[in-house]
């Protein structure tokens, strides 16, 4: 399947995810290679946060090799960092980027969903929700400095920011590709995408599970700007200074006016959304597919 | 009026409908030349449906000369075919096209609305609703292979599909041009158009009753792709294989998530919508205009 | 701040407003230089309305030097004119333009908000609402012939029309730039902008308080057409003839179908919206900022 689409200008596949993908045919439920496998041998902190007190801009560098998978630990620490920055009056802007080569974030960590208890799965999903709620509703000006591929959960993190600058590399891709993998992006992923690229582009994108190359992502408005790979962070810094030139108070109220309805929709359906996820992911058929997928990943490494 | 607009790049008129059109001036109610006149001398079935069991793709070829008018018979048979395909587990995709030269479908059949009882008019309108409900909510992947002009009801059928491929011929036009003819597209025509091209393009399009040439339709996103006239169907087949590479289950849930709200709005207002239509179309002034319009069409033929 | 943004293609600033602007840093509330200062020495009527009975098209020429500030008097007279035309069966279309050089309208008049009683401020805000309600819901076809800069309230007036033709002069700018000035566009400004340019462009535009040069405004759909400066009005006349070629009744019902929900939202929150405005504008901190701003404007004149 990926081959069919990969060669098409319209349905471009590239980068990290096509290597991670597993596919089903003929409509059977399948699983979720937007979920990536996290190496566990790293004892370093998965993230590094620098706050420049002179500018009020924090840079959060994701460094959880090999692909910045969003594990429960990762998400928990991410949210704690976000909350700290949010409380810090001297911090007005946040730039999120990756220290890894070629990947911004490959999305949710498959190990959080395989062989885990419903309670644990629910805890994980709650952390995914929390990440989005904190980011999409942040009082800080937030810029995603997307210096690599950013499928699924990585795309969600990107469109949760106020502005997206991506490396101008057609091998890097971004998109909510869940459908390709037999799963369905939940309504709040969908709402965020509709808010970003409009209803029709979101419909096409979600029904086909499209990953867009950086240039295609710019065309549909999934990212706001492309720059050479080595200028992603510096451009984010310059752009942030423009955002911070706007009075915070007015910008924050305006942001809330634009996003509150979308955020409230998840807040008032949060438990049901967790229940849905847990009941889906703990299905025997889904767990079987996860095992097969993991075995494929292991055999590739070997 | 059409002359004023025809010469404008922005408000392009072309193809079938400009020949069918009747216009009012100075705001008097007028009628509906998006409604076309159906020849009754054809005893062949108005449609031919081929299901290729090897690919799971059905092709529905509309062949109701001269212009594939949507009569009650046509719509009833269309819906029966759709329902059969929907129930057939081996059918996963549907391509809709026309066997006629230059026209995909010219829209609703005027004879269903002239001199008919309110009951009959209501039955007709219910069939129009049913066509849209079945198409917009279909579990199949649906592609409109638009190989000719497609005004009014023909446009509705097109935007009811998942994807639109149109012949790259500037003489072919597509659009919800009801307003030009003194009538008003109902809210669910409007909702479908807004979902497809966004609010502002829909507003402009509906207030002016614009028909777009194929290239202009592509520009505003009313169709997704233009190809040479003789490649419309083959391109639809290739594109369908991409849609069917996506696991059905995930695509179907995603499609429902995107379209359910719009569909539910008609479902919960269906009777009122029928009542509105019947009370409008059976007005004496409207019936008078329909008679004048029919006489004009007949004199043209003579 | 303006300097940072002025040199950017993306965040272009130009024209009238950059001369009027005052900025706050570090998020303190600040005030509203989208509000302009009205000269009081003119005894001429602030507007001139010509209705051409042969075409049914009225042209409303705003002439309240120096910058067509929207004072209570101006708005009241504007609304009376609109109402008269609305009642006049012979009037089917309205073109709004400016007799002033370089400016369409610079927005709300700061003098209406400085040192005024809460009652008076409320009366003023009610007039702003009334202007928008009458314009956005007008039964006439309405075209803004934007022959100069049109920030804030001037932009609201423009997007309240059915169609926008702007002088192709990159020094002229248009946008809802309230946020730049430390204030927040109310929800109905926001709704009108979202309806015009879509959610994401509106989000970016409102959060950053962007003013768009004429070419940039065309790109995002904030205006529909650019023409040479001396052809703005004549093009509006030609375009109006296309709008009036559409049967009024059908166009009016269609327009209402597109806009009613947005209008009803303000109608059912009108008093709360006034209360919000009055409580904001009568704050001591805001009044202090207004005084500073006025002093700056006076020193510039001297």
């Amino acid at each position: 399947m990926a081959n069919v689409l990969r060669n098409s200008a319209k349905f471009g596949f590239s980068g990290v995810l096509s290597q991670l993908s597993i596919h089903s045919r003929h409509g059977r439920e399948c699983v979720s290679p937007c979920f990536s496998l996290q190496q566990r041998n790293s004892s370093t902190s998965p993230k590094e946060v620098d706050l420049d007190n002179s500018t009020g801009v924090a840079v959060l560098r994701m460094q959880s090799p090999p692909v910045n998978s969003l594990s429960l630990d990762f998400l928990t620490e991410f949210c704690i960092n976000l909350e700290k920055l949010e409380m810090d009056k001297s911090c007005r802007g946040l730039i999120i980027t990756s220290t890894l080569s070629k990947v911004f974030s490959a999305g949710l960590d498959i190990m959080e969903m395989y062989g885990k208890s419903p309670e644990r799965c629910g805890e994980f999903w709650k952390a995914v929700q929390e990440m989005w709620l904190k980011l999409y509703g942040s009082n800080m000006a937030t810029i995603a400095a997307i210096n690599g591929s950013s499928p699924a959960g990585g795309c969600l993190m990107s469109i949760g920011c106020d502005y997206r600058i991506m490396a101008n590399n057609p091998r890097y891709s971004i998109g909510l590709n869940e459908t390709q993998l037999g799963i369905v992006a939940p309504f709040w992923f969908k709402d965020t995408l509709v808010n970003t690229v409009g209803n029709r582009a979101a419909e096409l994108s979600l029904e086909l599970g499209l990953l867009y190359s950086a240039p295609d992502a710019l065309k549909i408005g999934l990212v706001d700007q492309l720059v050479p790979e080595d200028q992603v962070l510096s451009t984010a810094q310059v752009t942030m200074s423009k955002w911070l030139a706007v009075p915070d108070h007015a910008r924050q109220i305006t942001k809330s006016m634009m996003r509150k309805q979308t955020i409230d929709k998840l807040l008032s359906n949060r438990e049901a959304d967790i229940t849905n996820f847990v009941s889906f992911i703990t299905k025997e058929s889904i767990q079987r597919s996860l095992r097969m997928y993991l075995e494929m990943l292991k055999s590739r490494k070997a």
Side-chain angles (χ1 to χ4, degrees), chain A residues 115-129:
Chain A
K116 293 287 190 295
S117 69
E119 291 68 30
R120 169 78 188 203
C121 286
E123 197 187 350
F124 173 64
W125 195 245
K126 195 171 181 178
V128 179
Q129 293 177 334

Side-chain angles (χ1 to χ4, degrees), chain A residues 17 28 32 37 110 123 129 134 151 160 184 214 255 285 288:
Chain A
L17 199 99
R28 285 185 306 109
S32 47
L37 181 61
I110 195 175
E123 197 187 350
Q129 293 177 334
K134 282 200 158 36
V184 176
K255 182 172 179 175
S285 61
R288 256 199 316 277

Side-chain angles (χ1 to χ4, degrees), chain A residues 115-278:
Chain A
K116 293 287 190 295
S117 69
E119 291 68 30
R120 169 78 188 203
C121 286
E123 197 187 350
F124 173 64
W125 195 245
K126 195 171 181 178
V128 179
Q129 293 177 334
E130 194 65 27
M131 178 269 282
W132 177 79
L133 287 168
K134 282 200 158 36
L135 204 48
Y136 203 58
S138 173
N139 269 325
M140 295 179 281
T142 53
I143 296 180
I146 309 166
N147 53 345
S149 282
S150 194
C155 178
L156 179 72
M157 189 183 275
S158 301
I159 58 179
C161 291
D162 289 317
Y163 198 78
R164 284 155 288 287
I165 298 165
M166 192 167 181
N168 192 0
N169 184 335
R171 299 180 59 91
Y172 295 163
S173 63
I174 183 169
L176 294 179
N177 58 316
E178 282 81 355
T179 316
Q180 279 279 356
L181 315 164
I183 58 168
V184 176
F187 71 88
W188 44 286
F189 284 51
K190 182 264 288 175
D191 290 343
T192 314
L193 188 62
V194 168
N195 289 351
T196 307
V197 301
N199 188 82
R200 174 58 184 162
E203 184 180 71
L204 208 52
S205 170
L206 291 172
E207 287 195 25
L208 290 168
L210 297 178
L211 283 176
Y212 296 86
S213 70
D216 286 346
L218 181 68
K219 268 179 215 152
I220 67 158
L222 185 52
V223 299
D224 297 296
Q225 201 177 340
L226 298 186
V227 297
E229 200 154 345
D230 59 351
Q231 295 168 29
V232 172
L233 187 58
S234 59
T235 306
Q237 296 274 16
V238 170
T239 305
M240 182 59 84
S241 71
K242 295 175 188 174
W243 281 79
L244 297 188
V246 179
D248 286 351
H249 183 71
R251 184 185 51 69
Q252 289 158 359
I253 297 176
T254 302
K255 182 172 179 175
S256 167
M257 181 170 65
M258 297 303 300
R259 300 190 169 187
K260 186 172 188 308
Q261 202 178 6
T262 305
I263 288 171
D264 285 351
K265 203 166 140 200
L266 176 57
L267 286 178
S268 59
N269 290 285
R270 200 164 176 181
E271 285 310 315
D273 184 60
I274 293 174
T275 305
N276 280 346
F277 172 76
V278 172

